[in-house]
Amino acid sequence: MEKTKTASESLTIMTNIVLPNETNSLRNLFGGELLAKMDRCASISAARHCERRVVTASVNHVSFDKPIPEGGIVVLESKVSRAFSTSMEIYVDVWLDDPINQKKIHTNSGIYTFVAVDEFNRPIPIPKMTPETEEEIQRFDAALRRKELSLILSGRMKAADSVELRKLFG
């Protein structure tokens, strides 16, 4: 029987405080600093899912919706949104945690792709992933559309061979 895992098994939560040396001239967290934090968080989720070494294959999307100020408490939450044969998509949500006012504000999100590798850095098979919540199901379904679109744009798939995108565009 093929091994299957749930998205929640890969859940990773990282909490940091924004320090002065991580900020730009507006005293907000540098975008590059946030990208690095998101990449680390996502890599832990990927490793938890496949129980192997992983490498970042791509950063598919990052949104910088709200600034994160110096001294702010940043909470990153990541988990596998879909597993393919050797790669997996990781969704990262970023929150600004205000413990004084007891508020959490969603500030950013990102989608990363990781590949599991062996000791020779060759891609290796990984477990499938089963979504459980409504949000996980939506992200799971969307991951296949994003993968097909990426394959078409890179020339590794013909648009006519797409299953998911054809459903959207007829």
Side-chain angles (χ1 to χ4, degrees):
M1 185 166 142
E2 190 176 355
K3 188 173 186 179
T4 301
K5 292 187 147 188
T6 63
S8 60
E9 291 178 85
S10 67
L11 177 64
T12 301
I13 300 172
M14 293 175 56
T15 305
N16 294 276
I17 190 164
V18 177
L19 300 174
N21 66 327
E22 298 174 314
T23 63
N24 59 25
S25 59
L26 300 174
R27 297 180 63 194
N28 291 318
L29 182 64
F30 271 118
E33 291 284 343
L34 181 59
L35 287 171
K37 292 175 190 304
M38 293 170 78
D39 192 26
R40 284 192 283 276
C41 192
S43 71
I44 294 168
S45 287
R48 284 181 171 161
H49 177 78
C50 65
E51 301 170 8
R52 303 292 264 188
R53 285 190 307 172
V54 296
V55 293
T56 308
S58 66
V59 179
N60 307 328
H61 172 80
V62 176
S63 67
F64 295 102
D65 299 327
K66 293 182 176 63
I68 301 171
E70 178 182 326
I73 298 170
V74 182
V75 179
L76 297 95
E77 297 180 13
S78 66
K79 57 184 164 180
V80 174
S81 49
R82 188 161 188 152
F84 297 98
S85 57
T86 61
S87 67
M88 64 211 96
E89 181 186 273
I90 316 295
Y91 210 101
V92 185
D93 287 299
V94 181
W95 304 85
L96 178 60
D97 186 8
D98 180 351
I100 295 167
N101 296 307
Q102 298 179 4
K103 288 184 181 177
K104 272 179 88 172
I105 301 164
H106 190 266
T107 63
N108 310 84
S109 59
I111 302 170
Y112 287 68
T113 299
F114 281 80
V115 174
V117 295
D118 65 14
E119 63 273 12
F120 304 106
N121 292 328
R122 292 183 303 224
I124 53 174
I126 61 172
K128 298 290 182 206
M129 195 278 292
T130 303
E132 298 175 300
T133 68
E134 187 58 40
E135 179 182 66
E136 289 170 1
I137 292 167
Q138 289 172 358
R139 289 179 175 181
F140 180 88
D141 292 342
L144 183 55
R145 292 189 293 273
R146 284 188 288 274
K147 180 167 180 136
E148 284 188 357
L149 181 58
S150 176
L151 291 171
I152 291 167
L153 292 174
S154 69
R156 293 181 287 160
M157 177 186 228
K158 293 182 177 157
D161 295 333
S162 167
V163 174
E164 290 299 310
L165 296 178
R166 235 185 336 196
K167 288 178 189 174
L168 290 176
F169 300 110

